[in-house]
Amino acid sequence: SDGRPASLRYRVLERFPHATLLEVALETGRRNQIRVQLAAERHPLVGDFSYGQPSSLIPRVALHAHRLEFDAPRGRKRLQFESPVPDDFARLLKKLKNGAPIAPPPEAAGSLGKEDEHPSVRKQVVRPPKRGELRVARKPKDRHAGKMPRKRG
């Protein structure tokens, strides 16, 4: 929407009857980049009710950061983090391997795109604040601003 370039690379890890498991490497870091770009190519993520549709197979977006790697903001250190596949994601992969179709939960069929709540999760989706909703955080006043610390010695 803001016209800034966004780029990613992907590799197919496994193909299922109704979905494909991808490994994605971001070349740029835009908010929701993976979700937006795959949905724009008509391949939304399973369970993505913002850019695709919810699924009865998993009550959230089927996206997992197995490995994150980036340069530290200060210094020249390269940071790397790894996380195992969550249980719900592993169950989803097993269902997809067995040929389970990707379909919205029956109770969500009439409400897609109308609310910020996924019916099977019952948690409100957190959206970025709109202009005018932000408030400047004020630093708490120092209670002892005029006092000097005692020297010990």
Side-chain angles (χ1 to χ4, degrees), residues 63-74:
L63 182 63
H64 174 65
H66 173 66
R67 183 181 322 117
L68 293 175
E69 188 174 331
F70 55 90
D71 293 324
R74 295 183 180 162

Side-chain angles (χ1 to χ4, degrees), residues 7-127:
S7 178
L8 59 77
R9 289 176 286 131
Y10 69 91
R11 179 170 63 114
V12 173
L13 297 178
E14 191 170 352
R15 294 186 191 277
F16 308 116
H18 303 286
T20 304
L21 179 63
L22 301 177
E23 178 182 275
V24 177
L26 295 172
E27 293 178 350
T28 55
R30 306 286 183 241
R31 185 188 330 208
N32 296 325
Q33 180 178 342
I34 296 169
R35 297 168 64 196
V36 170
Q37 284 190 263
L38 291 176
E41 294 297 323
R42 300 179 72 163
H43 296 287
L45 299 176
V46 174
D48 191 346
F49 54 98
S50 293
Y51 298 100
Q53 65 181 8
S55 174
S56 58
L57 301 178
I58 189 168
R60 66 176 180 91
V61 177
L63 182 63
H64 174 65
H66 173 66
R67 183 181 322 117
L68 293 175
E69 188 174 331
F70 55 90
D71 293 324
R74 295 183 180 162
R76 297 178 184 207
K77 191 174 184 181
R78 186 84 174 155
L79 300 175
Q80 185 175 12
F81 304 92
E82 291 194 5
S83 174
V85 175
D87 292 340
D88 65 341
F89 200 94
R91 285 190 300 272
L92 170 67
L93 293 175
K94 186 176 180 179
K95 291 175 187 176
L96 291 172
K97 284 178 187 179
N98 292 329
I102 300 166
E107 68 274 8
S111 65
L112 294 180
K114 295 180 182 175
E115 297 184 18
D116 291 339
E117 184 174 302
H118 185 288
S120 67
V121 178
R122 296 290 181 222
K123 290 183 181 176
Q124 186 174 3
V125 176
V126 178
R127 298 215 181 254

